[in-house]
Structures are given as C-alpha cells and as structure tokens.
Amino acid sequence: MLLVVSFLSMAWSFGQVPDAPAPTGAGVAPGAAGGGAPAGGGAAGGGGAPKKGGSFLGKDVPSFDPGSEVMTWDGKNWNVNNNRIFQARFEKYLNAPEATSDEDKNYQRVIATILWLLAPGNATVPNVDAAFKWLPQGSRYDIDARLCDALADAVYSAWKAQRAQDRLVTANAALDRERDQEYWNAKHAGAGESAKVPTGAPAGGKKGGGNAPSQQNFEATITQTQHSKRIAEVELQIKNNQLKREISEIQAKVEFQALIVQFFLQRRFQHVLMATRFYRAVFTEGDTKLNVGKDTKDLFEKSSGMPPTVGTLDSMANEAIRDVREGVKAFDFLLTKNELESASKRLAEAVTVGEFMPEIRTLSRDKKRQALEFVQKSNQLISAIDVKDFTLAELVVKQMEKVAKDFDSSKPMAAIETTKQVSSMHLAKARNAALKGDQVTLQAELTAATELWPRNPALAEMSKVIFSQGDVQAKATIDFDQLLGQKNYRQIFDDRLRFIAALALDPEKSKQLEGVLKNMQIIETAMGQASAMAVQTNYAGAWESVEKVAGQFPDDSKLSQMRADLTTQAADFVRALRGAQDLEKKEQIGASLAWFLKAQKIYPQSEYAGDGIGRLVKKILPQG
C-alpha cells in the first residue's frame, strides 16, 4: 500500500477526473405539465461514449523498485532522489521556516475539530452540520489553499442534489394521483353507451332523431381515448422523473469522489479523511464504490490489490499519515546519532509522501539545516562525478565523511580511483608513443585520457613535455597550415584534438582553427539534420538542408557526396525547384510560379519554394 502512496506523491501535480454519466433531461422541471418525451432527448446513454485520449499515467502503470530507488514510468527509468525537480522541492522545504505560528496552530485546531465531529460514532446530524460550518474557517488560512472551500462546495452540491430528489419524489406522487384519477375516468367513460331515447321522442326518426344512441357511443369512445392518452403522458413523466433522480444522485457522487481522488493525489491526506467522512454522512445508503476511470482503477487494483472505494482511500490516507509520523521520528533519532545520510533519506521519504502533514511542517529549521548540508554535498558530489571533475569529487567525499559518520564512500571513491588509474595508464602509453614517434597511438591515448578525466592536472603537463620532446607541436603547426591552404577543412576537423593542443599557445592560429571548427560544426549539423530526414524518407527536406550550406562550403567532400546522393533521391523536387529558378531568371513569371508551386506541393515546408513564390507574387501584384 505504501508503494502506491509513494508513487502518487511523485505524481502530485497530475489529476484524474473519473468518468461520469452525463445528466439527461436536466432541463425538465419535476412534475411539469404536458406530454411528450423528456427535454433531454435521451435516456441514460445520452452522454455518449467517453473520449479516448492519452492517459495521465502514460502507456503503462508505473512501478517502483525500493532497492535501487528507481521509478519505471512510460518506458523511462529515473532515480527519485537524483532528480532535479525533487531536489529543488526538497531543498526548498529544508530552507523553509517551521510552521509553528499561532496561525498554523489555529488551522490545525480547525482541522482536528472537523475530524472529531465527523469521527465514527460522532457523525450525528448536528455534528455534521457543525463540521460543515467549520470548513469556511479552515479555508481562511494560506496553507489550506482554499481546499476546505472546495470540500464545502461538494457537500453543498450533494445536499442540493438530494433536495432535488425529494422534489422529484413529490412530483411523482402527484403524478400517481393524477394517473389514478385518469384510470377511474377512463373506466367510467362508457357509462352512457346503453342510454335510451328520451320519452316522447318521435320513433320514426325525423330530422335524424333515430341516430342519438350512436352519437352517444361515439362521444364516449372519444372521451375514453383522451383519458388513455393522458394516462400514457403521465406514465412517461413518472419514468422521466425517476431517471432524472437516479442521474442526479450518480452525478453528485461522481463529483464528490473526484474531489476525494484529487485530494489524495495532492497528498492532502487530512482533507481526504474529512472528505470521506462527509461522503459517508451525506450518502447514507452505504454504496462507497468509486466511479473512476480505467487508468485510476488499474492503478489502485494493480498496486494495492484492493478495489477502488472510498474506504480504500480512507485507509490508505491513514496509513500514509502513520508512515509520515514514523519517518519524522526516525529522522529525529538518526539526527541525534549523527547519521545524516540515513536521516536525510528518511526525511526525504516522509516529505515525498506527506509534504503537507503537520509533523512535516512543524519540523525545526535547525534540524532541517543539518540535513540540508548533507543533501547539498550529495548533489555537489553527483554533479562533480557527472562532469568528470574527480579532484573536486574526492574533496567532497572527504567532507561528507566528516559530516556524516554513516556515509558510505566506497562507491564514489571506487569510481574516482579507477578513473584516475585508467587515465594515468593512457598518459603513460601516450608518453611512450611520443618517444617512438607513433602519432596515431599518441593521439588515441591523449584522446582517451582527456575523455576520462578532462581536468587532470597531469594531462596539460604531459602534453607540454610530449610536444617539446618530439617537436610534435611544430609538426602539427605545419600540417595545419598546409591543410588550411588546401581548404581541407574536413581533415582539420578530424584531427581537431591534435591541433587544439598544438596551437593553444598561438593566438592567431587558434583563432583560425576556431573558425574552421565553427564552419565544420555548421556542416555537421546540416548533415545530421539531413540524415534524420532521410531516415523518415523526407528526401526533399534532406536535400534542402544540405543545399543551404553547400554553397558556403563547396570543397567539403562528405557534404558534396551527400548532396549528390540526395539529389538523386529527391529528383522530382530538385527538378521542379531548379526549373522554377531558371524560368525566374528568364523573367517567365507565370511558368516559374507554376514550378515553384509544384515544388512546394512535393515538400510543403520548403524555404526555397516559399521564398520563390513570395518573390514572384510581389512582381505580379501591384504595390500596396
């Protein structure tokens, strides 16, 4: 169960609104007169099928490995402690003052009062009303973020829905009486069928007098038909009111349950307890099953092994509160033992689960500052190792050993010492290669040593010794001048590590080398973009990406080869574009515009085609 809470605290900024049936016929007043179908036009299925969209949880249910502290989510792995967002949020908490002011105490007193009034055995009707009156008091405090107002709105809406259901029951009772009356009227509508001719009337039937019994039977049939029609209308109104009553109750429950789930995802566990107790007090029929979406249902069932109910959220919130209290107690104990590594981890776990719990908010800033020093050193150590600054990393490890006696330095020191040794081995091989004049091995070993430990103090010293002994610097300078004169920038780029080291003390040549490398970076970027587009079979876009830089660097062999290959693969686009450009030079505006449009149709994002169309439109249309 705690794993579920731990994950949900990671996803504190997300929300999930349960699927809810749309209310039908809401515009029809209860017991309204008149026949016909309900104004909603449909029955229970009027809301339509729910939209299928992306899940806020991604493609799969997240999983957490407590051993490695690695979260697997949507195909990606990340460490919950070594995460920039988590680090920033945790450090913000460690620097915040403790919430022990009179305002904070009064707020917790309000929450405690509401929970006591709604506790099992206390939740009488007067106590529920009293607890409802305390909610506006709680929303006045900044830490509440007006969540008590949201809960009060949900309770009020539920009560209002129940009053609407009472009105529907009254309307149905009136309709039942009207239906019974119509049944009685219809039953006695045929009482005049056997009526006799009045005494003294002519027997021969002058002026149609002999048709009087038939006329009476016809009128009785019409009257009975009207009563039957009204009975059908009343039956339809009764069914419509019953449907609206059921939908109103379901809608009120769904909205209330959505708020409870939101409180849980926000780690507002005290508000979860208040909401679940209000829910049981408002909806007294005992149905606590959550009408949530499939993603949320799968999350609860697969992670906790329990069906999603109001009771499930209540128990998980209580368990999370208990876990936070235990975490704070463990932090206090470990702090007294000067075991800052374990203390910081326990506090981080407690903050992750219940950031807004009073035990977390009231923790002394002085105690948190002790953990902050260790956390900052830990983050500095991770950054130093990440950028391969092993000198700084070793210094930080020694500082952390002094601060926390339980800090395990074996892993970082093993990584630092191993990297230093391997870097020294590469430098030794580079020295031997320089003495033998083996330039290929020398360059490879220096490159390997630089990649392992870029800020190795011995690397710069070794480079100076090697270049002075073997005159490598002079040879590299000569090679650079030759390649620059030949405009063989590709070769300079391939041997850039050698030239960077050799020309470091020559400002003029260093500037020339920097210009060459910048140009080659432009070429490599364009070729990389073209390769990515070619993988997507967007050969026209790939060709245009290369063509933009081909004019600036016509001597680069790889660029020219790629351009030639893409010209063949995007032959139709290139033919249309070049045809349009040739016709534009000949001032054949109409034909040129047609070819530009054809090229744009092949590759809509083409800048060449778009610019050409823009130029021709300016020529065709008058100014202004």
Side-chain angles (χ1 to χ4, degrees), residues 333-344 370 373-374 396-410:
F333 175 76
L334 292 170
L335 203 62
T336 60
K337 300 297 183 180
N338 198 28
E339 298 178 4
L340 286 180
E341 181 177 17
S342 297
S344 301
Q370 297 182 48
E373 181 181 1
F374 181 83
V396 173
V397 168
K398 293 179 179 179
Q399 294 175 348
M400 295 177 69
E401 287 177 336
K402 294 180 180 179
V403 172
K405 70 177 185 179
D406 63 331
F407 172 64
D408 185 8
S409 62
S410 58

Side-chain angles (χ1 to χ4, degrees), residues 2 68 84 149 174 282 308 333 356 410 423 425 471 503 505 511 520 539 545 620:
L2 290 181
S68 60
R84 184 174 300 176
D149 272 347
V282 173
F333 175 76
F356 303 101
S410 58
S423 179
M425 292 173 61
D471 200 18
L503 304 178
L505 301 178
K511 188 174 182 180
M520 289 304 302
Y539 299 114
S545 179
I620 294 173

Side-chain angles (χ1 to χ4, degrees), residues 188-476:
H188 295 82
E193 290 179 355
S194 59
K196 298 181 180 180
V197 180
T199 305
K206 290 183 179 181
K207 297 183 181 181
N211 295 329
S214 298
Q215 181 68 22
Q216 291 176 357
N217 291 338
F218 176 75
E219 292 177 354
T221 302
I222 292 297
T223 302
Q224 192 172 18
T225 302
Q226 291 176 347
H227 288 308
S228 299
K229 181 180 178 181
R230 181 54 186 163
I231 290 172
E233 292 175 352
V234 171
E235 291 283 359
L236 182 61
Q237 284 184 331
I238 291 174
K239 294 295 183 184
N240 184 34
N241 287 343
Q242 290 175 350
L243 179 62
K244 286 190 290 184
R245 180 185 176 189
E246 294 176 0
I247 291 178
S248 175
E249 181 179 3
I250 294 174
Q251 186 69 22
K253 285 185 178 181
V254 168
E255 292 177 358
F256 209 125
Q257 292 171 2
L259 182 64
I260 298 175
V261 174
Q262 177 186 334
F263 285 159
F264 192 84
L265 293 175
Q266 291 175 320
R267 298 172 293 168
R268 295 280 188 164
F269 299 118
Q270 290 179 311
H271 289 77
V272 172
L273 297 180
M274 290 190 295
T276 55
R277 294 178 182 181
F278 265 119
Y279 185 91
R280 292 190 181 95
V282 173
F283 303 103
T284 58
E285 72 281 3
D287 181 16
T288 61
K289 181 180 178 181
L290 290 181
N291 297 297
V292 295
K294 183 178 182 300
D295 293 326
T296 305
K297 182 177 180 181
D298 291 342
L299 174 62
F300 280 106
E301 289 186 347
K302 294 181 180 180
S303 300
S304 65
M306 295 178 292
T309 64
V310 173
T312 301
L313 291 177
D314 188 286
S315 63
M316 294 179 68
N318 277 307
E319 178 65 15
I321 292 173
R322 185 205 63 81
D323 184 64
V324 170
R325 291 171 180 167
E326 293 294 329
V328 173
K329 291 178 182 178
F331 168 76
D332 285 332
F333 175 76
L334 292 170
L335 203 62
T336 60
K337 300 297 183 180
N338 198 28
E339 298 178 4
L340 286 180
E341 181 177 17
S342 297
S344 301
K345 289 182 178 180
R346 300 296 81 77
L347 182 59
E349 293 166 359
V351 172
T352 301
V353 175
E355 181 179 357
F356 303 101
M357 291 298 300
E359 290 79 8
I360 296 293
R361 309 305 301 179
T362 57
L363 199 60
S364 170
R365 177 187 270 180
D366 294 334
K367 293 182 178 179
K368 292 190 293 185
R369 289 289 297 178
Q370 297 182 48
L372 177 63
E373 181 181 1
F374 181 83
V375 170
Q376 289 177 337
K377 292 295 182 182
S378 300
N379 295 337
Q380 186 180 13
L381 176 61
I382 293 173
S383 300
I385 293 178
D386 188 45
V387 299
K388 301 179 181 180
D389 188 353
F390 296 105
T391 303
L392 175 60
E394 186 174 7
L395 177 61
V396 173
V397 168
K398 293 179 179 179
Q399 294 175 348
M400 295 177 69
E401 287 177 336
K402 294 180 180 179
V403 172
K405 70 177 185 179
D406 63 331
F407 172 64
D408 185 8
S409 62
S410 58
K411 287 185 178 180
M413 286 305 300
I416 293 171
E417 295 298 335
T418 301
T419 304
K420 284 186 174 182
Q421 292 177 6
V422 175
S423 179
S424 299
M425 292 173 61
H426 283 295
L427 288 178
K429 292 180 180 179
R431 185 188 299 107
N432 295 334
L435 295 175
K436 297 177 181 179
D438 186 355
Q439 299 298 324
V440 176
T441 304
L442 173 62
Q443 181 178 349
E445 296 299 332
L446 285 177
T447 302
T450 304
E451 291 176 351
L452 284 172
W453 190 3
R455 303 190 64 179
N456 185 359
L459 182 60
E461 183 180 354
M462 178 66 67
S463 300
K464 292 179 181 179
V465 173
I466 292 175
F467 287 134
S468 63
Q469 291 179 352
D471 200 18
V472 178
Q473 184 175 4
K475 188 176 186 305

Side-chain angles (χ1 to χ4, degrees), residues 499-536:
F499 293 127
I500 289 174
L503 304 178
L505 301 178
D506 191 336
E508 182 179 355
K509 294 189 182 300
S510 295
K511 188 174 182 180
Q512 292 176 339
L513 177 61
E514 182 180 1
V516 171
L517 295 181
K518 286 184 179 180
N519 292 336
M520 289 304 302
Q521 187 63 38
I522 296 174
I523 295 173
E524 289 295 315
T525 301
M527 292 177 66
Q529 293 175 350
S531 298
M533 292 180 180
V535 171
Q536 301 172 357

Side-chain angles (χ1 to χ4, degrees), residues 60-65 70-78:
D60 53 9
V61 175
S63 61
F64 177 68
D65 182 4
V70 172
M71 178 76 71
T72 301
W73 182 8
D74 200 13
K76 300 178 181 178
N77 299 325
W78 47 280

